[in-house]
Amino acid sequence: MFEVRERDALARIGLLETGHGRVTTPALLPVVNPNRPIISPTDLARRFHAEILITNAYILGKGPHRDSVLRQGVHEFLGFSGAVMTDSGAFQSHVYGDVDVTNAEVIDFQKRIGTDLGTMLDVFSEPSHDRTRATHDVDETVRRAREADSLRGEMALVGAVQGGLHTDLRERCAREVSALGVSVCAIGGVVPLLESYRFQDLVRVIIASKKGLDPSKPVHLFGAGHPLVFPLAALLGCDLFDSASYAKYARDGRMLFADGTRRAAELLESGCPCPVCTDRSMKEIAGSETLLAEHNLHICFGAIREVRRAIAHGDLWELVERRARAHPTLLVALRELRQHNEFLEAFEPVARRGALYYVGPETAHRPILHRFRQRVMERYQPPPAKGLLVLPENRRPFTEAYASALSRVMATADVHAVVKSIWGPVPVELDHVWPMAQSVVPDSLDVESLEAAEVFFREWAAGAGYPFGLLWEGESSLDELRARAPGHRVVDWNASRVRATADYQFGRGAADAILRGNISYVVSKNTGKVRNVLVDGDHVVSLRAEDGLFTLKAAGARRLHRAFRAPSLRIVVEADAIPFIREGKNVFAKFVREADPELRPGDESLVVSPDDELCAVAQSSMNRQEMLAFKRGVAAHVREGVPPSPSALPR
Amino acid sequence: MFEVRERDALARIGLLETGHGRVTTPALLPVVNPNRPIISPTDLARRFHAEILITNAYILGKGPHRDSVLRQGVHEFLGFSGAVMTDSGAFQSHVYGDVDVTNAEVIDFQKRIGTDLGTMLDVFSEPSHDRTRATHDVDETVRRAREADSLRGEMALVGAVQGGLHTDLRERCAREVSALGVSVCAIGGVVPLLESYRFQDLVRVIIASKKGLDPSKPVHLFGAGHPLVFPLAALLGCDLFDSASYAKYARDGRMLFADGTRRAAELLESGCPCPVCTDRSMKEIAGSETLLAEHNLHICFGAIREVRRAIAHGDLWELVERRARAHPTLLVALRELRQHNEFLEAFEPVARRGALYYVGPETAHRPILHRFRQRVMERYQPPPAKGLLVLPENRRPFTEAYASALSRVMATADVHAVVKSIWGPVPVELDHVWPMAQSVVPDSLDVESLEAAEVFFREWAAGAGYPFGLLWEGESSLDELRARAPGHRVVDWNASRVRATADYQFGRGAADAILRGNISYVVSKNTGKVRNVLVDGDHVVSLRAEDGLFTLKAAGARRLHRAFRAPSLRIVVEADAIPFIREGKNVFAKFVREADPELRPGDESLVVSPDDELCAVAQSSMNRQEMLAFKRGVAAHVREGVPPSPSALPR
């Protein structure tokens, strides 16, 4: 079983339960060659804190230790009390052309040696395979996955995804294999891509596979053992990595680093803070395969921990964009991601703790910013005005004095104002929404970002489609703005921000629904910003200072529930769970029957009964696809239970 | 004394001799607070391999340990047998507004405690100081530097460079202070810039100071203790860094990383491979000031070693460009560098071992590429032709088949061909010169790089100024090229490459000078490329496979010596040294009297006597400014001594 604890992009920190303990993911599985263990499994556990390792069932079954491992079981044989995954021989078929073992034999052997995760014998689909051959690879892999599922007994099974570079085949294979009784889904056939730095193809293969995969199952990326790829692969939803690289590169005198590989003999110093490099001279290290392997393991485990740190902190995108500079081919892979924003966006949380940092011209294409631009187009309604005032990037976020001068100009000249930011046009009423007010952007920008800002603006202006009587551009100083508006009328910022935010966050029409009636605000004494919004005396929403979005209250939820039809904003739960949810208990994924496909992790949502009665207001922690797939974990954190309406009570 | 062993950009790996051993630079000097040492000096040496540390003479002199340190000397007092540098109290005057000690007192105290490097009491020039105030800061600092020099006795003195943000004042202060008897020059007054991430200003201050500084003296950047700045500051020629940060941040519960700072309490894992983070839980680390300080030290020392690794390997520019993505303000600083290319270029070696990696749109502005564009404009002479064929970036470097098809087109259609690369226009005859054939560039490029390629091309086309009868653009495939030229005449690649390279490397006219006569080539059997060039039977130059540049032979040197007037290509050495140099001994900097200001590290050069008699051909390892400044180290490695001409022999 797999449970998610933290998430960022498609990455997650999860707990994978095995027959030998829980494994925190993303996890690195060091490959142990049973015939030539360079670091003993005992040391892997004791000195490197490995919770899981991987060894090869095919090699064990064919090798001199077959009888011992059958007699002792794989854990005792290796001297490792943590989780053990075994591979099947598919990679050996890639290397040697064929293997002399059947799927059924290898499953049987893995059961007998007591592996925690046993792998089916899939067909290694080379990147060069044409559609016909790749179709055959997939058909045969799916057939064997079914066979393995039927034979596995109590063994947790690893199913493989093949299909070469054919994205539709990858997606089909992923869908069919992950629908079976497999505990882990492994993306296979990628080693040739990794070996030749074909990271753009790797991205396409992972994304195609993820589209088909059951999101509740952990994903293993077979053969990915170089720290260079961990951040990107984790970002795309890979949870497990196996590394033979630490040993292979050591044998070849090479050292792994987060930004590449270097030959030990060519270095006077490694520039690495790991225990090996801190305590030993470069000469000693270069002369010892064991020390090289230890260094490589420290770097690989460190890189996996760094990925987990970034997921927990919510800055995995920054890590990926920074690391992409380690090699031009990684940068090309990063630039590929924008092609898949429709898919990636569905998994992106609505906000995170810290700031969003500009890393390069790729930053503007992150899913969170793609979503902002999309929602501004689809959900935001500009107030009626005679013209548009276009403000430059550097006015964001607004100071109080600037906002005040701006509001006078807007009211007096009857204009509507938008910042032409490098993230896209930002209506001034939405300048406080994450990450618009929480971005760290350089003072001077690259040409690509500036050009993108123009393109984003034009797309929006064309899409907005309302007639601009006048269009001023480039006002920036307070004095200029003051000179424009000698009058004294001012825009009501509170009202316009609250309206714009409601539509932006919940969908067009939400402002009308929530704010119909007599509106009043509770305003922060320190910042002058709206905290709570009351309508006809009911507290409908609170505005969060940290991300500029609303926390929905029961009264607001009732209004949205009346105004928006199912499935909008809803999470439909099983009838059994409703009494608990009304009491304020969280919504567990296994009780979710349906949900709005537009809901995103972090979104405010309406928890309803199968006949659409409002039971609670909650903050979702999954999207629809995840809520329906997961059997474990919280789908939404209930903020407030809503009691049954009198008409619905049993009489 | 300071001697340079390796160099890259303005950075160098050096050896600084002190009264307590040699220190390898770039070096980190951990700050030891004598009243509150969080890691003992013994541990700094034993566990962190610190060769040098820094403590504060002002605090020692005012504190409770004054008598002990005077009695024991600073080394015994601290329990540290390596080098000790002491600071003077100038930073305390920045923090507290003033200090109650005089320059003379603090110099005297440092002499008495036996410090290895004692610092004058300079005037801390705040970035906010206007010109008048900063002028006073500089005048007073220079006055005190003179005083300190007169008082220092045997103590090695650290002189300080002040002047706030006023670049001319910085340069003057640097020139006047480094002309005195100081062993180390320290750039001061930068802590306020570091604290507020004003890295663009930091770059301006360092460059202005470096312009005035004696290049033979090591440069200390006072108060720079965050690994974020080490690569950039080293690139600009800073050799010593002191870090109180490791302790200060630890006290505040914060952890240093190469890409920034993080609060320990907010982390579940640090994602760091250092001994502390490998062995301890995050909870333990977060709760212990000592463990935090140890982690911070491991990271800082690791970052310094990484800088040294990059210098030795010649990829410091890549490291700097990658690390600049850690914060937008660092990226702005990186983008500032192109404004200083005239200065930076003078220190840039002509080639290096490995490939040049594209990191971002800033890469095209590296000094080495700036130089390539400049030399193509100034030195390269296009062959007479009726037109210009402009080839796209992706044809570089050429395959043999492509070169052959291209040569037919060029000869038959009488055109001259240039690649419109993102590094600037590359005449096809120069496509093998480093780094044109040794660049790793992504398949798809950012808009800024593409736009820069256009601008570079237009600048060149405008500057080249010859009438193009026709201009074809965009031919790329072999088939297209073959279709253009059914004829059989071909360009002689060997001849055209050798001519173009000679002019590019030695200056316009070099091809005529070297290649007058009967030319023959020794060609590599494996690659078909020219190895040696013979004229009238004399071996004049060899073409190096690794960087596409010539190694000059005595016969070639004689021809260049006749054709180019002094000071071109010359290193003038003292008469005393000439017999040794003729025998093939290297040219030591202390014997250099003059040199061509156009010579760059790695350039082939003519070693001549004061009356311009050719004595040897050599590969320079310094530029003119360095040759004249250094009293230690090799200015040029002699390839071949040249015997005196018969007329010059004593009769």
Side-chain angles (χ1 to χ4, degrees):
Chain A
M1 287 294 257
F2 182 61
E3 190 177 337
V4 171
R5 292 299 172 93
E6 300 268 4
R7 60 184 303 164
D8 191 21
L10 270 74
R12 49 241 186 138
I13 295 178
L15 285 176
L16 172 63
E17 254 175 43
T18 75
H20 286 75
R22 286 175 157 200
V23 174
T24 302
T25 69
L28 176 73
L29 289 65
V31 174
V32 172
N33 181 337
N35 299 327
R36 199 179 186 282
I38 183 165
I39 313 261
S40 74
T42 317
D43 271 1
L44 288 176
R46 194 173 52 84
R47 291 173 51 208
F48 297 91
H49 315 290
E51 296 177 324
I52 182 168
L53 58 75
I54 183 168
T55 189
N56 193 296
Y58 173 73
I59 293 173
L60 277 175
K62 293 287 159 188
H65 305 300
R66 180 183 167 90
D67 292 340
S68 324
V69 71
L70 277 170
R71 197 173 57 244
Q72 300 176 289
V74 69
H75 293 84
E76 194 183 321
F77 172 75
L78 293 175
F80 188 73
S81 60
V84 172
M85 172 168 165
T86 40
D87 196 0
S88 61
F91 186 72
Q92 282 65 31
S93 75
H94 156 71
V95 177
Y96 305 111
D98 200 10
V99 285
D100 53 346
V101 72
T102 66
N103 184 41
E105 284 164 4
V106 89
I107 293 291
D108 178 60
F109 182 74
Q110 291 177 94
K111 283 164 68 177
R112 286 169 65 197
I113 64 174
T115 190
D116 296 303
L117 290 163
T119 305
M120 60 173 289
L121 183 67
D122 49 323
V123 181
F124 196 100
S125 200
E126 301 285 344
S128 57
H129 284 185
D130 64 13
R131 167 163 293 277
T132 311
R133 181 124 189 231
T135 304
H136 171 265
D137 299 336
V138 166
D139 290 343
E140 178 61 15
T141 294
V142 171
R143 191 195 68 71
R144 294 191 198 168
R146 288 207 185 96
E147 181 185 58
D149 188 17
S150 73
L151 296 171
R152 71 180 171 89
E154 295 298 302
M155 182 182 75
L157 182 65
V158 180
V161 178
Q162 293 288 354
L165 297 183
H166 306 272
T167 52
D168 56 332
L169 296 178
R170 283 275 180 186
E171 186 174 341
R172 169 162 76 84
C173 189
R175 183 166 295 116
E176 295 182 11
V177 169
S178 75
L180 302 170
V182 299
S183 299
V184 169
C185 301
I187 299 175
V190 296
V191 166
L193 302 179
L194 293 164
E195 283 173 346
S196 50
Y197 281 55
R198 292 171 64 181
F199 298 125
Q200 185 178 27
D201 284 330
L202 181 70
V203 162
R204 290 174 179 150
V205 163
I206 297 175
I207 289 178
S209 305
K210 285 292 289 190
K211 282 183 179 169
L213 286 171
D214 178 334
S216 74
K217 293 185 175 175
V219 177
H220 185 111
L221 189 64
F222 255 133
H226 198 300
L228 208 53
V229 301
F230 296 162
L232 180 61
L235 182 98
L236 297 175
C238 297
D239 307 290
L240 302 169
F241 303 90
D242 64 289
S243 177
S245 310
Y246 78 94
K248 278 190 197 166
Y249 281 75
R251 204 168 307 149
D252 192 29
R254 287 189 293 169
M255 297 173 83
L256 299 176
F257 296 95
D259 65 348
T261 310
R262 296 187 183 94
R263 192 161 289 285
E266 288 171 7
L267 300 176
L268 289 172
E269 302 181 274
S270 75
C272 159
C274 88
V276 174
C277 295
T278 299
D279 286 344
R280 309 296 190 115
S281 75
M282 208 41 237
K283 207 175 156 182
E284 253 184 297
I285 299 170
S288 158
E289 191 179 328
T290 308
L291 288 178
L292 287 169
E294 288 179 3
H295 159 87
N296 289 345
L297 270 180
H298 280 303
I299 289 298
C300 289
F301 278 111
I304 284 286
R305 289 199 301 268
E306 183 171 44
V307 167
R308 292 201 297 253
R309 183 207 58 70
I311 298 170
H313 197 251
D315 60 1
L316 184 59
W317 273 99
E318 272 84 353
L319 180 65
V320 168
E321 290 187 18
R322 282 171 192 156
R323 282 296 154 70
R325 308 281 158 180
H327 199 279
T329 51
L330 265 181
L331 191 57
V332 171
L334 174 68
R335 293 171 73 89
E336 169 74 17
L337 295 182
R338 67 187 71 168
Q339 309 299 328
H340 308 276
N341 260 339
E342 289 303 315
F343 175 67
L344 300 176
E345 186 274 323
F347 295 86
E348 193 69 24
V350 297
R352 63 187 207 200
R353 246 162 291 165
L356 181 143
Y357 284 82
Y358 165 98
V359 179
E362 296 76 22
T363 309
H365 298 278
R366 285 190 200 167
I368 188 74
L369 295 166
H370 172 76
R371 176 190 295 162
F372 186 88
R373 291 190 291 273
Q374 218 172 20
R375 290 201 176 178
V376 165
M377 292 243 236
E378 292 171 3
R379 299 184 172 190
Y380 166 73
Q381 303 187 75
K386 279 194 286 185
L388 179 71
L389 176 64
V390 183
L391 302 168
E393 161 75 26
N394 61 2
R395 301 313 318 178
R396 185 168 57 82
F398 301 119
T399 60
E400 211 177 319
Y402 191 83
S404 143
L406 182 61
S407 81
R408 284 220 306 279
V409 172
M410 289 170 68
T412 313
D414 194 16
V415 291
H416 159 56
V418 161
V419 178
K420 192 193 276 182
S421 95
I422 59 160
W423 302 153
V426 184
V428 290
E429 311 95 294
L430 291 176
D431 79 305
H432 58 312
V433 167
W434 199 89
M436 292 305 145
Q438 299 87 353
S439 294
V440 184
V441 169
D443 291 338
S444 70
L445 279 159
D446 67 280
V447 173
E448 183 166 315
S449 295
L450 294 171
E451 208 165 273
E454 274 301 319
V455 171
F456 297 147
F457 180 79
R458 281 183 209 164
E459 282 173 359
W460 170 77
Y466 49 97
F468 297 127
L470 55 146
L471 192 144
W472 298 329
E473 192 162 350
E475 324 297 312
S476 65
S477 79
L478 269 179
D479 289 342
E480 279 175 294
L481 283 178
R482 284 200 190 98
R484 280 215 176 271
H488 291 289
R489 281 208 306 141
V490 293
V491 162
D492 180 350
W493 279 109
N494 285 346
S496 62
R497 286 213 158 132
V498 164
R499 286 198 64 84
T501 306
D503 278 356
Y504 174 84
Q505 185 174 353
F506 300 111
R508 200 170 270 195
D512 288 342
I514 299 176
L515 304 168
R516 185 161 300 150
N518 218 326
I519 307 176
S520 61
Y521 306 108
V522 177
V523 170
S524 156
K525 273 182 197 162
N526 290 327
T527 65
K529 285 182 181 168
V530 170
R531 284 290 153 261
N532 301 331
V533 181
L534 290 83
V535 181
D536 295 338
D538 291 337
H539 182 181
V540 288
V541 289
S542 301
L543 196 57
R544 295 193 293 259
E546 62 272 25
D547 64 8
L549 293 169
F550 288 130
T551 294
L552 189 59
K553 309 299 289 181
R558 278 194 210 95
R559 286 163 174 256
L560 284 173
H561 185 255
R562 278 198 298 273
F564 284 70
R565 294 197 168 185
S568 278
L569 306 175
R570 268 101 169 150
I571 300 172
V572 186
V573 295
E574 302 291 352
D576 299 355
I578 288 171
F580 303 99
I581 287 165
R582 288 211 202 265
E583 279 171 24
K585 297 277 190 299
N586 288 334
V587 180
F588 283 89
K590 63 180 164 191
F591 296 120
V592 174
R593 186 187 271 205
E594 249 307 342
D596 179 2
E598 294 298 310
L599 281 182
R600 299 290 175 259
D603 258 338
E604 304 293 301
S605 53
L606 313 176
V607 186
V608 297
S609 67
D611 48 1
D612 200 35
E613 213 197 333
L614 183 65
C615 309
V617 49
Q619 184 178 32
S620 62
S621 46
M622 296 178 175
N623 68 17
R624 171 181 179 272
Q625 198 194 341
E626 293 166 330
M627 289 181 191
L628 298 183
F630 272 93
K631 296 285 163 274
R632 274 232 180 156
V634 174
H637 292 91
V638 168
R639 295 195 182 280
E640 239 180 299
V642 176
S645 63
S647 64
L649 284 175
R651 306 184 185 205
Chain B
M1 287 296 259
F2 181 62
E3 191 176 336
V4 170
R5 292 298 172 92
E6 301 267 5
R7 59 183 304 164
D8 191 21
L10 270 74
R12 52 243 185 133
I13 295 179
L15 285 175
L16 172 63
E17 255 175 41
T18 75
H20 287 77
R22 285 175 157 200
V23 174
T24 301
T25 69
L28 177 72
L29 289 65
V31 173
V32 173
N33 180 337
N35 299 327
R36 198 177 186 286
I38 183 165
I39 314 263
S40 73
T42 317
D43 270 1
L44 288 176
R46 194 174 53 83
R47 292 174 49 208
F48 297 91
H49 315 289
E51 297 176 324
I52 182 169
L53 58 74
I54 183 168
T55 189
N56 194 295
Y58 173 74
I59 294 173
L60 278 175
K62 293 286 158 187
H65 305 299
R66 181 185 167 89
D67 292 341
S68 326
V69 73
L70 277 171
R71 197 174 56 245
Q72 299 177 288
V74 69
H75 294 84
E76 195 184 322
F77 171 76
L78 293 175
F80 188 73
S81 61
V84 172
M85 173 169 164
T86 40
D87 196 0
S88 62
F91 187 71
Q92 282 65 32
S93 75
H94 155 70
V95 177
Y96 306 112
D98 200 8
V99 285
D100 52 346
V101 72
T102 66
N103 184 41
E105 284 164 5
V106 88
I107 294 291
D108 178 61
F109 181 74
Q110 292 177 95
K111 284 164 70 176
R112 287 168 65 195
I113 65 174
T115 189
D116 295 303
L117 291 163
T119 305
M120 60 173 289
L121 183 69
D122 49 324
V123 181
F124 196 99
S125 201
E126 302 284 344
S128 59
H129 284 185
D130 63 14
R131 168 164 293 276
T132 311
R133 180 123 189 232
T135 304
H136 170 266
D137 298 337
V138 166
D139 289 343
E140 178 61 15
T141 295
V142 170
R143 191 195 67 72
R144 294 192 198 168
R146 289 209 184 95
E147 180 185 59
D149 188 17
S150 73
L151 297 171
R152 71 181 172 87
E154 295 298 302
M155 182 181 77
L157 182 65
V158 180
V161 178
Q162 294 288 353
L165 298 182
H166 307 273
T167 52
D168 56 332
L169 296 178
R170 282 276 180 188
E171 186 174 343
R172 170 163 74 84
C173 189
R175 182 166 296 115
E176 296 182 10
V177 169
S178 74
L180 301 171
V182 299
S183 299
V184 168
C185 302
I187 299 176
V190 297
V191 166
L193 302 179
L194 294 163
E195 284 174 345
S196 50
Y197 281 57
R198 291 171 63 181
F199 298 125
Q200 186 179 28
D201 283 330
L202 181 70
V203 162
R204 290 175 179 150
V205 163
I206 296 175
I207 290 178
S209 306
K210 285 293 289 190
K211 282 183 179 170
L213 286 171
D214 178 335
S216 74
K217 293 186 175 175
V219 177
H220 185 113
L221 189 64
F222 256 133
H226 199 301
L228 208 53
V229 301
F230 295 163
L232 179 62
L235 182 99
L236 297 176
C238 296
D239 307 290
L240 303 169
F241 303 89
D242 64 290
S243 177
S245 310
Y246 78 93
K248 277 190 198 166
Y249 281 75
R251 205 168 308 149
D252 192 30
R254 288 189 293 169
M255 297 173 83
L256 299 176
F257 297 95
D259 65 347
T261 311
R262 296 187 183 93
R263 192 162 291 284
E266 288 171 6
L267 300 175
L268 289 172
E269 301 182 274
S270 76
C272 159
C274 87
V276 174
C277 294
T278 300
D279 287 344
R280 309 296 190 113
S281 75
M282 208 40 237
K283 207 176 156 183
E284 252 183 300
I285 299 169
S288 157
E289 191 179 327
T290 308
L291 289 177
L292 287 169
E294 288 179 4
H295 159 88
N296 289 346
L297 270 179
H298 280 304
I299 290 297
C300 289
F301 278 111
I304 284 287
R305 289 198 302 268
E306 183 171 44
V307 167
R308 291 201 297 253
R309 184 208 57 70
I311 298 169
H313 197 251
D315 59 1
L316 185 59
W317 273 99
E318 273 83 353
L319 181 64
V320 168
E321 290 186 18
R322 284 170 192 155
R323 282 295 154 71
R325 307 281 158 183
H327 199 278
T329 51
L330 265 180
L331 190 57
V332 171
L334 174 67
R335 294 171 74 88
E336 169 73 18
L337 295 182
R338 68 187 71 168
Q339 309 300 329
H340 308 275
N341 260 340
E342 289 303 314
F343 175 68
L344 300 176
E345 186 275 323
F347 295 86
E348 194 69 23
V350 298
R352 63 187 207 201
R353 246 162 290 165
L356 181 144
Y357 284 82
Y358 165 97
V359 179
E362 296 77 23
T363 309
H365 298 278
R366 285 191 200 167
I368 188 74
L369 295 165
H370 172 76
R371 175 191 296 161
F372 186 89
R373 292 190 290 273
Q374 218 172 20
R375 291 200 174 178
V376 166
M377 292 243 235
E378 291 170 4
R379 299 184 171 189
Y380 166 74
Q381 303 186 76
K386 279 194 286 187
L388 179 71
L389 176 63
V390 183
L391 303 168
E393 161 75 27
N394 60 3
R395 301 314 318 176
R396 185 169 57 83
F398 300 118
T399 61
E400 211 176 319
Y402 191 83
S404 143
L406 182 61
S407 82
R408 284 220 305 280
V409 172
M410 288 169 68
T412 312
D414 194 17
V415 290
H416 159 56
V418 161
V419 179
K420 192 192 276 182
S421 94
I422 59 160
W423 303 152
V426 183
V428 289
E429 311 95 294
L430 291 177
D431 78 305
H432 58 313
V433 167
W434 200 88
M436 292 305 146
Q438 299 87 353
S439 293
V440 183
V441 169
D443 292 337
S444 70
L445 279 160
D446 69 278
V447 173
E448 182 165 314
S449 294
L450 294 172
E451 207 165 274
E454 275 302 318
V455 171
F456 297 147
F457 180 78
R458 281 183 209 164
E459 282 173 358
W460 171 77
Y466 49 97
F468 297 127
L470 54 145
L471 192 145
W472 298 329
E473 191 162 350
E475 322 297 311
S476 66
S477 79
L478 270 178
D479 289 343
E480 279 175 293
L481 283 178
R482 283 200 191 98
R484 282 216 175 267
H488 291 289
R489 282 209 305 143
V490 293
V491 162
D492 180 350
W493 280 109
N494 285 346
S496 62
R497 285 215 159 133
V498 164
R499 286 198 64 83
T501 306
D503 278 356
Y504 173 83
Q505 185 173 353
F506 299 113
R508 201 171 271 195
D512 288 342
I514 300 176
L515 304 168
R516 184 163 300 151
N518 217 327
I519 305 177
S520 61
Y521 305 108
V522 176
V523 170
S524 156
K525 273 182 195 160
N526 290 327
T527 64
K529 286 184 181 167
V530 170
R531 283 289 154 263
N532 300 332
V533 181
L534 291 82
V535 182
D536 295 338
D538 291 335
H539 182 183
V540 288
V541 288
S542 301
L543 196 57
R544 296 193 294 259
E546 63 272 24
D547 63 9
L549 292 169
F550 289 131
T551 293
L552 189 60
K553 309 298 290 181
R558 278 194 211 95
R559 287 164 174 256
L560 284 173
H561 184 254
R562 279 198 297 275
F564 284 68
R565 292 197 171 186
S568 277
L569 304 174
R570 267 96 168 155
I571 300 172
V572 186
V573 295
E574 301 292 352
D576 300 355
I578 288 172
F580 303 99
I581 287 165
R582 289 211 203 264
E583 280 171 23
K585 297 279 189 298
N586 288 333
V587 180
F588 284 89
K590 63 180 164 192
F591 296 120
V592 175
R593 188 187 270 204
E594 248 308 342
D596 179 2
E598 295 297 310
L599 281 181
R600 298 290 175 259
D603 259 338
E604 304 293 300
S605 53
L606 314 175
V607 186
V608 298
S609 69
D611 47 0
D612 200 35
E613 214 196 333
L614 184 64
C615 309
V617 49
Q619 184 179 33
S620 61
S621 46
M622 296 178 175
N623 68 16
R624 171 182 179 272
Q625 196 193 342
E626 293 166 330
M627 290 181 190
L628 298 182
F630 273 93
K631 296 288 161 271
R632 274 232 180 158
V634 174
H637 293 90
V638 168
R639 296 195 181 279
E640 237 180 299
V642 176
S645 63
S647 65
L649 284 175
R651 303 183 188 207

